[in-house]
Amino acid sequence: MRCAGIVAEYNPFHNGHKYHIQSARRLTGCDKVIAIMSGGFVQRGEPAIFDKFTRARAALECGADMVIELPTVFALSSAEQFARGAVRILNSSQIVDYLCFGSECGELSTLTSFVAASETNSEELGNSIRAMASDGKSYSRSFYEASLKGPASAFAADVLKTPNSLLAAEYIRSLKATSSHILPYCIKRKGAQYGETDMCGEYSSAAAIRSALSNSIGALNVLNAIPSEIRDRFVSACDGCNFSEREHIFFKLLQYRVLTSDISYLSSIAHVTEGLENVMFRAAKTCAGYDEFLFACKSKRYTMARIRRIASCAVLGINSELMRSAYTDDSALYIRVLGVRKDSLDCLRELSNNSSVPIITRYSDIKALSPLASSLINLDILSSDIQSLVTKRDSKPLCEYNRPFLCV
């Protein structure tokens, strides 16, 4: 059995995602497609628009054979750490042969050449990045400008100016760093660019769909961008959500967490450095809304995405030590199965027989985990509960303790 892996967020699932799954199957000739998907929170630093089971079902009904969860601690990380966490889990499955990712440049040779070139002067590159960062520039900006001056300059503009190409390069770097047998495949992004907030037909971006829903345009007006197989479920899921109030509710949770914590707790939050804890405390006391809070904390060093991830880590209680342990200790790893197609149960059996880390298909399986892995999966459950409280109209936690994995 040959399996292709996809790292995704499906926030929400749309036609571009279905195209990605179809392309992965066609390009690799694989038997199965396994998606590893962010759970309650996503990499841009906020609760997902729909709960993880709704998003996993959409992927399964549109071509994926299995969906597993990317732990929250990896999901709320930089591109480098996001990619490394996903690759470590796919490596541990020991059944994934290919990793298929999308990018704007669409050329695997360009991406691999950039990674190779940036590693030929890694020490010089690192020194340049640190120097620029000390002048107040963000890591991503420092990395981009430093790369333009070294051997990677011939490829840097094509790779680093677009977020999916940058993430694609990090997947390749992570595969190399872990001596993975998994082969990379690059799929050129189709339709709207990442982050495009205007609807543009069949291949509109996830950001455009989220923006439309948040601005009360309504589910029926974005259905052209949603695969026909899941349109009815999409409309039903939208009916149960309160899109216009989700940021306001999340901000109230954030304010409570920040204002009831001491400065030492705030300084220990993952990604917080150099006095940001004081800025966050003042902003929580004086800002009337989430956007105002974000802009009060933003600086040359802290991008908006990083501030969002910090805010989410603050609400969830993710500190720097927990995040460091997750990235350095292999006992942190596990594979949480969210769903599988009925005609692909052989894929689940193959995973169970070959994985080098514990497989979680029911809550009772958590008892077999290491203390570190147990703390991380309970964090996944908390993130799902918070996502549900923030987004759903009935304001109830997801309550996944007794919820079995999907079989569709």
Side-chain angles (χ1 to χ4, degrees):
M1 180 183 293
R2 293 179 300 167
C3 297
I6 290 174
V7 187
E9 298 201 297
Y10 301 148
N11 188 38
F13 194 96
H14 56 64
N15 286 327
H17 296 133
K18 180 180 176 180
Y19 170 79
H20 187 186
I21 293 172
Q22 292 173 332
S23 298
R25 200 181 297 276
R26 174 176 53 82
L27 288 173
T28 65
C30 65
D31 302 298
K32 306 292 181 184
V33 173
I34 299 174
I36 178 168
M37 184 191 78
S38 302
F41 280 64
V42 295
Q43 204 259 343
R44 70 190 305 266
E46 64 184 25
I49 195 167
F50 297 132
D51 71 76
K52 61 190 178 188
F53 291 107
T54 297
R55 288 151 49 228
R57 180 181 288 277
L60 294 170
E61 292 181 342
C62 291
D65 294 281
M66 182 186 296
V67 179
I68 62 179
E69 183 172 3
L70 180 67
T72 303
V73 71
F74 298 145
L76 287 175
S77 295
S78 65
E80 177 186 8
Q81 294 174 322
F82 180 95
R84 182 64 61 88
V87 165
R88 287 171 66 206
I89 292 174
L90 293 176
N91 286 342
S92 298
S93 76
Q94 299 196 92
I95 66 168
V96 174
D97 303 287
Y98 317 105
L99 176 56
C100 299
F101 42 77
S103 82
E104 290 84 356
C105 78
E107 294 292 336
L108 183 63
S109 59
T110 299
L111 295 167
T112 54
S113 295
F114 168 76
V115 171
S118 65
E119 290 177 349
T120 60
N121 69 329
S122 57
E123 184 176 352
E124 180 181 345
L125 181 65
N127 290 336
S128 296
I129 292 172
R130 283 188 289 274
M132 292 179 187
S134 66
D135 289 336
K137 293 181 179 178
S138 67
Y139 175 83
S140 57
R141 188 67 195 176
S142 299
F143 185 61
Y144 176 70
E145 292 186 8
S147 296
L148 289 176
K149 299 177 181 179
S153 59
F155 315 100
D158 287 331
V159 175
L160 296 180
K161 68 182 179 182
T162 52
N164 281 318
S165 291
L166 173 59
L167 188 55
E170 294 300 343
Y171 289 135
I172 295 170
R173 197 186 310 277
S174 294
L175 291 173
K176 292 183 64 177
T178 58
S179 301
S180 178
H181 73 280
I182 297 174
L183 299 177
Y185 276 75
C186 182
I187 299 170
K188 185 172 179 60
R189 185 180 178 92
K190 187 173 184 177
Q193 295 299 302
Y194 175 89
E196 172 61 56
T197 56
D198 292 327
M199 294 295 297
C200 56
E202 183 181 2
Y203 288 99
S204 296
S205 70
I209 297 170
R210 291 194 304 271
S211 177
L213 295 175
S214 296
N215 292 326
S216 301
I217 290 179
L220 296 178
N221 294 295
V222 301
L223 285 186
N224 191 41
I226 306 300
S228 58
E229 298 94 324
I230 62 169
R231 284 177 183 171
D232 288 345
R233 290 190 184 277
F234 178 83
V235 172
S236 178
C238 288
D239 285 343
C241 292
N242 185 3
F243 298 117
S244 61
E245 292 295 315
R246 55 198 301 268
E247 278 200 352
H248 174 72
I249 297 170
F250 180 76
F251 180 55
K252 292 303 180 185
L253 293 176
L254 175 63
Q255 279 184 303
Y256 177 81
R257 172 65 92 167
V258 171
L259 295 178
T260 57
S261 301
D262 57 34
I263 292 298
S264 63
Y265 168 81
L266 298 178
S267 65
S268 73
I269 294 169
H271 312 303
V272 168
T273 58
E274 300 176 343
L276 181 66
E277 63 273 15
N278 297 306
V279 177
M280 290 175 60
F281 187 80
R282 288 194 298 271
K285 286 182 71 71
T286 60
C287 293
Y290 192 40
D291 283 345
E292 186 180 350
F293 174 89
L294 294 172
F295 279 102
C297 295
K298 186 181 179 299
S299 65
K300 288 192 297 183
R301 187 183 298 275
Y302 288 95
T303 63
M304 193 67 81
R306 185 177 175 185
I307 295 296
R308 286 182 179 272
R309 288 194 291 270
I310 288 171
S312 294
C313 287
V315 169
L316 296 170
I318 303 176
N319 59 41
S320 297
E321 178 59 27
L322 181 64
M323 188 162 281
R324 185 199 64 78
S325 297
Y327 281 99
T328 58
D329 191 338
D330 284 341
S331 74
L333 299 181
Y334 52 89
I335 295 178
R336 170 76 187 281
V337 178
L338 294 178
V340 62
R341 291 178 61 92
K342 290 179 181 177
D343 56 6
S344 296
L345 287 170
D346 55 338
C347 185
L348 179 57
R349 287 192 293 271
E350 193 81 2
L351 176 66
S352 300
N353 291 335
N354 288 277
S355 175
S356 62
V357 299
I359 307 298
I360 309 299
T361 58
R362 60 181 66 87
Y363 184 72
S364 59
D365 293 336
I366 295 176
K367 297 176 183 177
L369 295 180
S370 71
L372 176 56
S374 293
S375 66
L376 294 183
I377 200 167
N378 280 308
L379 182 63
D380 297 340
I381 293 170
L382 173 62
S383 72
S384 295
D385 287 342
I386 296 297
Q387 185 278 333
S388 184
L389 289 171
V390 166
T391 303
K392 292 190 175 180
R393 285 200 179 99
D394 58 16
S395 297
K396 293 188 298 186
L398 188 59
C399 296
E400 61 179 282
Y401 292 93
N402 298 313
R403 187 164 185 167
F405 69 90
L406 298 167
C407 192
V408 303

